[in-house]
């Protein structure tokens, strides 16, 4: 079972949504952290054109869809096996849906993971409710934005 990609988002319609994309492509893997403040479009991680690497540097700078992410991506090729392991550990007992009605703005989040042994991606969503270790996932995913080694 190998992880092909993951997408994570959180936020709401009032504040916007923060997105994290990570994908393994042939010989490399990359991570894109797109906070709501970036004002970036939501991207289709399954598109062949959604590919970040040093070899694609010129394409990233000239493609109107990719250019918006040119300063927020990281090469995580050698970290990919650890990402697979950590993601599996953190989400092992997560349900497919978390919902709670509370007054005030809705806080929405979602995690999509595509594993090679499954035809369809696995999606987990939540509205105002979270798994017990949700903050661990968020902290871990956001830590890659700094380009730190894990």
């Amino acid at each position: 079972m190998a992880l092909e990609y993951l997408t994570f988002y959180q936020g709401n319609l009032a504040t916007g949504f923060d997105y994290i994309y990570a994908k393994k492509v042939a010989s490399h893997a990359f991570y894109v952290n797109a906070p709501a403040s970036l004002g970036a479009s939501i991207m289709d991680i399954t598109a062949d054109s959604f590919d970040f690497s040093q070899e694609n540097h010129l394409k990233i700078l000239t493609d109107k869809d990719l250019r918006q992410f040119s300063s927020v991506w990281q090469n995580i090729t050698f970290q990919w096996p650890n990402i697979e392991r950590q993601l599996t550990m953190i989400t092992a007992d997560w349900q497919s849906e978390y919902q709670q009605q509370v007054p005030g703005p809705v806080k929405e989040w979602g995690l999509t993971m595509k594993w090679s042994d499954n035809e369809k991606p696995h999606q987990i969503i939540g509205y105002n409710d979270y798994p017990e270790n949700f903050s661990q996932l968020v902290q871990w995913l956001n830590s890659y934005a700094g380009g730190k080694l894990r």
Side-chain angles (χ1 to χ4, degrees):
M1 175 167 77
L3 179 65
E4 294 178 14
Y5 65 80
L6 73 88
T7 60
F8 174 76
Y9 72 90
Q10 67 176 340
N12 62 40
L13 293 175
T15 62
F17 292 91
D18 298 326
Y19 276 86
I20 292 175
Y21 306 93
K23 183 177 181 181
K24 174 107 170 66
V25 179
S27 63
H28 65 277
F30 62 89
Y31 165 96
V32 177
N33 186 326
S37 60
L38 187 62
S41 302
I42 299 169
M43 294 301 293
D44 176 8
I45 197 166
T46 64
D48 290 338
S49 61
F50 193 69
D51 185 2
F52 292 82
S53 69
Q54 290 301 331
E55 292 78 25
N56 293 343
H57 182 69
L58 185 57
K59 178 183 172 192
I60 293 166
L61 293 176
T62 57
D63 183 289
K64 67 178 179 57
D65 294 326
L66 300 181
R67 185 176 42 240
Q68 61 190 340
F69 302 107
S70 64
S71 65
V72 293
W73 74 275
Q74 298 286 329
N75 180 338
I76 56 169
T77 302
F78 68 95
Q79 296 160 316
W80 197 253
N82 185 51
I83 289 171
E84 291 175 328
R85 197 169 34 259
Q86 283 289 105
L87 190 60
T88 300
M89 281 181 9
I90 292 172
T91 64
D93 59 350
W94 285 21
Q95 302 167 27
S96 293
E97 197 170 289
Y98 293 83
Q99 291 189 23
Q100 185 177 48
Q101 297 295 331
V102 296
V106 171
K107 295 179 182 174
E108 181 182 341
W109 63 274
L111 175 65
T112 301
M113 301 169 284
K114 173 65 173 85
W115 298 93
S116 60
D117 60 343
N118 293 334
E119 190 174 315
K120 292 184 177 183
H122 177 65
Q123 295 182 319
I124 304 170
I125 59 169
Y127 304 95
N128 298 328
D129 194 17
Y130 309 90
E132 187 175 306
N133 60 346
F134 180 78
S135 61
Q136 179 186 0
L137 174 79
V138 173
Q139 183 178 9
W140 172 68
L141 285 175
N142 281 316
S143 71
Y144 284 92
K148 298 178 180 146
L149 303 180
R150 311 278 162 291

